[in-house]
Every structure is written in structure tokens, then in C-alpha cells.
Amino acid sequence: CQVSALVEEGIANIPLVRAYGLESQQRARFTPAVQQNVRSLVEISRLKAAFSPVLEFVQLGGVLIVIATGAWALAQGQISLGGLLVFLTYLTQLLGPVNGLSQLVGSVAGATAGSERVLELLDEPGAPEVVNDGEPVSSRDLTIAFAGVSFSYPGAEAPALQNVSFSIAPGQTVALVGESGAGKSSIARLLMRFHDPDVGAVLINDRNATTIPADTLRARMAPVLQESLLLAGTVRENIMLGNPGATEDELRKAAIAADAEGFIATLPDGYDTVIGQAGDTLSGGQRQRIAIARALLRDAPILILDEPTSGLDAAAAERVMAALRGQNQARATLLISHQLQTTRYADEILVLESGRVVERGSHEGLMVLNNRYARLYRHHHPESEMERGEARELAEVA
């Protein structure tokens, strides 16, 4: 049961494990559980080995009883010797095939199901090929560039991205906005090398990302994914996934910056509170703040924020975004959000539509342009239009 739970958790949290390079840690958790399972199976086999002679003795005893009863009936003249022998022959021949048939049916069913799963796994495409050029990757000051990137998911009818180009320098924030399905999260997945572009290239310091080993590349990234993925364990363990060697002071600073220190202090054991499978004892906003603290603790040169404040109220979202902006001096930050109040401070905003960049610029410039972004902003924040109208009325009165 424990092995199945770990497998289920690992599969459900594959993006988190891959993004933070936790493969070795997951193996370290999985191996003892498998070894314990093996010991249990060996013990079960021993019990079976002990009971098998007993069962055989019971079966032999039944046959002896039949023989004794038949011999008595033969002596009384109730049956003939040939009838007794025929009965015994049929009895001994019947027990074996029936037992073997029941075992065979179970074996065939299990083998069929297992072979289908094996064939599914064999048909899965392999990981993107890495042609490592041997050049080291800096751990600071990384520049990101998408150069004419187009990408389609396997089996999809329409491309997810079409000829997307932009760059993010250290200390800059580029925000991606647009309706659901516009391709925003696909850009983040390409940046983390969950997929490779069909056309174009993702460049890290002018170097094609396909020449960088995935674990090396992801070690330079601190992602806050759209789903706040947590592992079974304590609050401390989940935040420390971002940087296992962090000090207690660094841990608390990250939690404070993520607006998580307040609710953590109310938990029964504080940072050592066990939060259950996938953090199911916490609310969505609490899980999200732990994920943000984990990313801040990682202190990586590339920060990926995919809907980082979707589970937070307006005041908490503003506090978190202010903390992120304050720690962004040397990070290249990719921000994806439907809450356009969080994107207005970005250095550049890209408006995506059907996988294409249809507008780009600063918040002020795009609002003056009064096109797609302005309409999207007013749609999500109608109060801004009311404020602008009130300002015009006051100006006219003055």
C-alpha cells in the first residue's frame, strides 16, 4: 500500500519532481518502501510454505477417509471393488485440474493486464534528446530568449505556439496574458524543457537549451506552477525542497516574503506540522503560499510564476507580488497571470491569442493603445474604467 501511495504521489507530482530535480530524493524515499514490501512478500511466502504441507495432509486425510469408508462399504457388499477404484480414480484426477484451472485463470488475467500496460509504456515517446556541448551554465545572470518558437502537442489539431519571439534579461519581468488556451503555460513548459520546440529555439545566454542537460537547466529555475504541488511531509520539508541546504533564517525569510509566516504560526506544530498527502490539510491559498516560499528559497536566476496569486485575496496577492518585485534585481522572471493587476508592473507584457503574440509593450503603453490588452484589462478590472471616468469628470469640473 505504501509503495502504491508513493508511486501515485510521484506520478501526480511529475512536474514538481522534474522542475526541482528531485529524482534522487524520490528514489531515496521509494527504495526503502520497496525493500519493506519485498520483506513482507518473503514473509508471506514463508507462511505459504509452512501451510502447504498442512493443506496437503488434510487433502490426503480426506482421501484416506474415502478409502476407509469405501473399504467398509465393500466389506458390506454395498459396492464392488471396481466401483471403489473408479471412484478413487475420478477423485484424485478431479482435485488437481480444478486447482490448476483456478490458478490459471488468475494468472492469465494478470498477465493480460500487465502486458497491456507494458505495451503502453513502450509506446510512450522518450525524453528530449540532449546534445551536450560541454559548456558550463552560469548560476547567475541568465538571459532567456525565444527565437521564432512554434510548438504543437502530440495529436493536437492546432499548434499551441506560432512564431513566438521575446527575451528576458536579468532583473527584467515579462508577463504573459491572454485567454485560457492562448499558449501561456506552453511557453513555461518549453522553458523548463518538458517539451522541445518544433520550430525555432529556446536560448539561455544565447545557447540553445537543447544543448543543456535538463537537470542542469532546471537547477537554475525556481518555478511556481499553476497547481500548488506539495509532497506528503511537514511544512518545513516542502519549503526546503527549494534549497535543502538553507538555514532556518533563510527559511523564515522566504516564508515571510510569501506571506506564509502568519498561517504557519497558527498550525499545531508550526513549520513541523505534517500537512498530509498533497497538502490536503491546507487550503488552496495556503498551499500556494508554501509553493511561493519554496521558489523564493531556491534563489535561482530564473523565476517562473504561473498564476502565482490565483488562490490569494487581493491584499495577500499585492503583498506577495511586492515581495517578488523586491527580490527581482538579478532574476529573469516569467510571469503568467489572468489577474492583470499583478502584471502591470512588468517590464514588458505579451498578449497571446491562439498561440501568437498579438500585442506587446508596457502596461501604460498598451492601455494607451486601447486594443486587446486594454479591453482584457477593463474586462477583468471594471473598477479601473470607473476610476478613469471619475477622474475625467473631476478634471472637467476643475
Side-chain angles (χ1 to χ4, degrees), residues 14-207:
I14 282 176
L16 173 63
V17 173
R18 295 175 66 187
Y20 278 89
L22 302 176
E23 291 86 353
S24 298
Q25 185 186 91
Q26 289 296 95
R27 281 195 293 270
R29 297 178 66 203
F30 185 72
T31 300
V34 172
Q35 291 174 342
Q36 178 60 39
N37 190 54
V38 169
R39 288 192 290 269
S40 300
L41 292 175
V42 170
E43 186 64 26
I44 292 172
S45 298
R46 288 175 178 171
L47 291 174
K48 286 183 177 180
F51 277 105
S52 292
V54 175
L55 294 175
E56 291 178 1
F57 178 79
V58 170
Q59 289 181 354
L60 179 61
V63 172
L64 292 176
I65 291 174
V66 170
I67 292 175
T69 303
W72 179 84
L74 179 64
Q76 298 296 320
Q78 298 177 358
I79 61 173
S80 65
L81 177 61
L84 176 62
L85 293 177
V86 169
F87 183 80
L88 289 174
T89 301
Y90 281 131
L91 177 64
T92 55
Q93 290 181 349
L94 180 62
L95 295 177
V98 169
N99 292 333
L101 183 60
S102 63
Q103 295 176 2
L104 179 62
V105 171
S107 299
V108 170
T112 302
S115 63
E116 290 176 355
R117 181 58 182 154
V118 169
L119 291 175
E120 289 177 5
L121 292 175
L122 292 175
D123 291 336
E124 286 291 320
E129 183 179 357
V130 177
V131 184
N132 191 357
D133 57 14
E135 292 294 326
V137 182
S138 172
S139 59
R140 294 282 115 191
D141 300 331
L142 295 182
T143 299
I144 303 167
F146 275 58
V149 170
S150 296
F151 170 71
S152 297
Y153 289 100
E157 296 181 358
L161 298 172
Q162 302 181 65
N163 195 29
V164 173
S165 297
F166 66 92
S167 63
I168 313 175
Q172 284 189 329
T173 298
V174 168
L176 306 178
V177 303
E179 299 296 343
S180 297
K184 304 182 297 297
S185 295
S186 296
I187 289 178
R189 295 179 69 84
L190 288 177
L191 180 57
M192 291 185 286
R193 284 213 68 205
F194 291 169
H195 308 280
D196 282 338
D198 300 328
V199 179
V202 178
L203 305 175
I204 306 295
N205 280 0
D206 297 324
R207 178 180 172 185

Side-chain angles (χ1 to χ4, degrees), residues 4-15:
S4 299
L6 287 173
V7 170
E8 180 182 357
E9 180 183 72
I11 293 176
N13 292 285
I14 282 176

